[in-house]
Amino acid sequence: MWNPGWDDVFSAKDWGKYPPEELVRFIGRTYFGAPDRKAVKFLEIGCGAGANMVFLAGEGFDATGLDGSRVGLDRAAERLAERGLAARLDQGDAMELPYADASFDCVLDIECIYANTLADSRRIVAEAHRVLKPGGLLFSKAFMTGTSGEATGRRMEGEPNTFLEIPDGPFNKGYGLIRLTAEEEIPGLYGVFPDIALDYVIRTDRNRTREVREWLITCRK
């Protein structure tokens, strides 16, 4: 469930200018060869201030972004307009996507699903599956167990890898839940998809005082 703390983030921080390298690589490998890019329909859940919307629209794809934050969506609209680009931006809940079945070729989750309980995360994944066309892809970037701060984070009762806050890690306060994903949890979380491929990235931060671990999960309907 979306947390209103993100309004404060998008108001106070100049985020949402650049897409992550892993997303650019995924899009390049998978879709740059499309004969008609405008015919390739993307949905990003948790699009925030629009970094990925700007990237997708700039590359000629049909891009739709959904977020709970009106502040983030307004910032995304500004950034698209500054570049003369167009994308659809909707305010809504990723657990109840306002789109018809089989509407999109690809759904993107760039660290949106992780900010939910396991039950809510499964609902979001199921909704992503529903709105994807047959053969469509979900690309999900999610924080892994082993990320710095896990040992000292304040845990939520009933879920082994869900935290109310992780003050010693790479996360800021006020965004809501933080759920780290263990490899053994992935089949249960993404299992509505018959085809799941896993990669990951591990990097250090703050002069190697923190380690950030992230899954790159690609699921085909």
Side-chain angles (χ1 to χ4, degrees):
M1 181 176 292
W2 176 76
N3 187 287
W6 287 100
D7 275 345
D8 297 332
V9 172
F10 296 131
S11 296
K13 296 180 181 291
D14 195 21
W15 283 6
K17 286 187 175 181
Y18 308 107
E21 178 182 351
E22 296 82 16
L23 174 63
V24 174
R25 183 180 295 113
F26 166 75
I27 299 296
R29 287 176 172 175
T30 312
Y31 297 104
F32 275 4
D36 179 7
R37 291 190 183 185
K38 199 60 183 175
V40 182
K41 297 175 68 66
F42 284 90
L43 168 65
E44 183 183 11
I45 53 175
C47 68
N52 304 323
M53 290 292 98
V54 170
F55 167 63
L56 291 168
E59 289 294 335
F61 297 108
D62 183 315
T64 296
L66 178 130
D67 203 281
S69 172
R70 185 73 259 166
V71 176
L73 292 170
D74 288 345
R75 182 67 62 86
E78 291 171 4
R79 288 177 172 160
L80 286 161
E82 287 169 359
R83 294 160 177 80
L85 299 171
R88 177 176 172 177
L89 300 172
D90 296 319
Q91 186 172 15
D93 188 339
M95 291 191 291
E96 297 179 2
L97 294 175
Y99 311 111
D101 296 358
S103 297
F104 297 96
D105 298 285
C106 184
V107 175
L108 302 175
D109 157 43
I110 306 302
E111 287 162 350
C112 166
I113 294 177
Y114 89 94
N116 293 271
T117 65
L118 272 172
D120 287 352
S121 295
R122 291 189 187 101
R123 286 181 61 184
I124 296 170
V125 171
E127 278 290 273
H129 182 273
R130 179 183 67 79
V131 302
L132 278 170
K133 299 174 184 178
L137 298 175
L138 167 65
F139 180 75
S140 181
K141 186 178 182 186
F143 292 104
M144 296 172 62
T145 50
T147 292
S148 290
E150 179 180 15
T152 56
R154 187 158 62 96
R155 295 176 181 269
M156 188 182 86
E157 289 187 18
E159 291 192 13
N161 298 313
T162 304
F163 299 80
L164 301 176
E165 61 177 348
I166 303 181
D168 299 326
F171 310 96
N172 293 305
K173 293 182 179 180
Y175 301 177
L177 295 177
I178 300 162
R179 186 177 48 75
L180 307 180
T181 300
E183 184 169 357
E184 59 267 23
E185 293 175 310
I186 290 174
L189 181 54
Y190 295 89
V192 66
F193 289 91
D195 183 358
I196 303 172
L198 299 180
D199 287 294
Y200 58 81
V201 291
I202 300 175
R203 61 180 174 85
T204 59
D205 194 23
R206 309 286 177 163
N207 196 25
R208 294 181 291 176
T209 60
R210 294 174 178 171
E211 187 170 87
V212 182
R213 295 170 170 251
E214 297 164 301
W215 288 114
L216 307 175
I217 303 167
T218 305
C219 307
R220 185 179 297 275
K221 182 173 178 178

